Amino acid sequence: MAKDSYLVGLIGSGIGPSLSPALHEREADRQGLRYLYRLLDLDVLGTPPEAVGDLLRAARDLGFDGLNITHPCKQLVIEHLDALSAQAEALGAVNTVVFEDDGRAVGHNTDVTGFAASFARGLPDVPLERIVQLGAGGAGAAVAHATLTLGAGQVTVVDPLPERAAALADSLNRHFGPDRADAAAPDRLPRLLADADGIVHATPTGMAAHPGLPLPAALLHAGLWVAEVVYRPLETELLRTARALGCATLDGGGMAVFQAVDAFRLFTGREPDATAMLTDFHDLSGAVTAPR
């Protein structure tokens, strides 16, 4: 029989104003569950990201049912897990850990499905032949997989660390087939964006703690659509600038909700009400802008 009491949490840096606790706990209330969602903030604890394994073991020993994982631990946590879902293994990034009944810690990635659901809902008819993605970290791996799964022709990954961009592009080509992805340095952005259909932004730039634009504003033009993964704040400088130019845009709120929907399902084995969770998000984000 399914349990009716759950203890879960979130490991990450600067997560104090996260909306994840409220999103999960409101859905649990609707389902009549006792559900506590706790924050394990590296900044508050004075703990380096490399200690994520210690936090994972402590949570398991304390009886947690699972954990969400966010920046900067989505890749660091992998070596401390007992198993990975096929998708998490393909991505090399984990944002959800479930503690199984036998004590194993199994890593999943709901960022992929979360971004895909949000994109299909928010930008259903945009062209997908040529996409430029900014960022090749854990979130970048997830959204690149999502856009290619949605039918993108080619994704060019741009990152200031050339080896990281190249590694992600190689991984995407192995998974989706040759020539579906390539890597580029930021100095190629002017040429890339002149011919691109859209931009996916998957770096921390634009978050409350990292304000600003991830690229020169002059490179944006009305022929681009722009999809954002940041939702702290919900309207980033990138989205504000793109909208002023007439670009179709997608904020990071939908991804935040749909990844939480999938994580709730993994933690509890119960089907969450995605529509109600979207309503919760918009209610909560009216007063708070927060990290995932």
Side-chain angles (χ1 to χ4, degrees):
M1 294 181 63
K3 296 170 44 172
D4 62 4
S5 180
Y6 295 87
L7 174 61
V8 301
L10 172 65
I11 295 177
S13 177
I15 56 174
S18 174
L19 296 186
S20 289
L23 284 173
H24 281 251
E25 290 177 356
R26 284 189 178 198
E27 177 58 23
D29 285 346
R30 279 189 290 270
Q31 301 211 19
L33 304 176
R34 294 191 297 275
Y35 196 103
L36 294 177
Y37 192 114
R38 295 294 179 250
L39 299 180
L40 303 174
D41 192 323
L42 301 177
D43 297 346
V44 173
L45 296 172
T47 302
E50 292 74 18
V52 64
D54 295 331
L55 291 175
L56 188 81
R57 285 185 289 273
R60 177 162 46 187
D61 291 344
L62 288 169
F64 276 66
D65 295 287
L67 294 165
N68 284 135
I69 310 292
T70 192
H71 176 80
C73 299
K74 291 182 181 183
Q75 293 163 320
L76 292 171
V77 74
I78 289 177
E79 65 180 284
H80 305 287
L81 301 175
D82 299 303
L84 296 175
S85 70
Q87 192 154 67
E89 186 170 14
L91 287 168
V94 163
N95 80 325
T96 303
V97 176
V98 176
F99 296 123
E100 304 282 1
D101 291 341
D102 60 6
R104 294 191 313 149
V106 180
H108 301 264
N109 194 299
T110 68
D111 283 336
V112 180
T113 51
F115 183 80
S118 177
F119 194 97
R121 177 176 176 270
L123 293 173
D125 301 316
V126 296
L128 295 172
E129 186 58 33
R130 294 176 301 277
I131 296 174
V132 174
Q133 176 175 302
L134 307 179
V143 298
H145 272 252
T147 51
L148 286 168
T149 299
L150 288 168
Q154 185 180 60
V155 173
T156 300
V157 181
V158 178
D159 194 276
L161 299 176
E163 65 281 3
R164 188 163 72 165
L168 177 54
D170 288 345
S171 173
L172 293 168
N173 285 325
R174 287 195 302 272
H175 191 79
F176 291 97
D179 302 322
R180 298 293 302 280
D182 65 354
D187 61 7
R188 285 185 54 199
L189 278 172
R191 175 172 290 185
L192 289 170
L193 292 178
D195 297 325
D197 294 313
I199 300 172
V200 176
H201 175 235
T203 85
T205 303
M207 291 181 176
H210 305 279
L213 282 168
L215 77 173
L219 298 183
L220 295 171
H221 57 84
L224 294 167
W225 52 260
V226 178
E228 176 71 271
V229 302
V230 171
Y231 83 95
R232 53 171 184 180
L234 195 57
E235 183 179 72
T236 61
E237 187 172 347
L238 174 62
L239 290 182
R240 189 163 51 249
T241 303
R243 285 170 182 156
L245 292 169
C247 301
T249 62
L250 178 70
D251 65 46
M255 179 180 177
V257 173
F258 286 113
Q259 65 82 23
V261 166
D262 292 343
F264 186 94
R265 186 184 300 110
L266 285 168
F267 290 148
T268 67
R270 298 169 184 260
E271 189 60 35
D273 185 335
T275 300
M277 291 180 74
L278 281 166
T279 300
D280 288 340
F281 175 84
H282 289 296
D283 176 41
L284 293 162
S285 61
V288 180
T289 54
R292 185 164 44 257

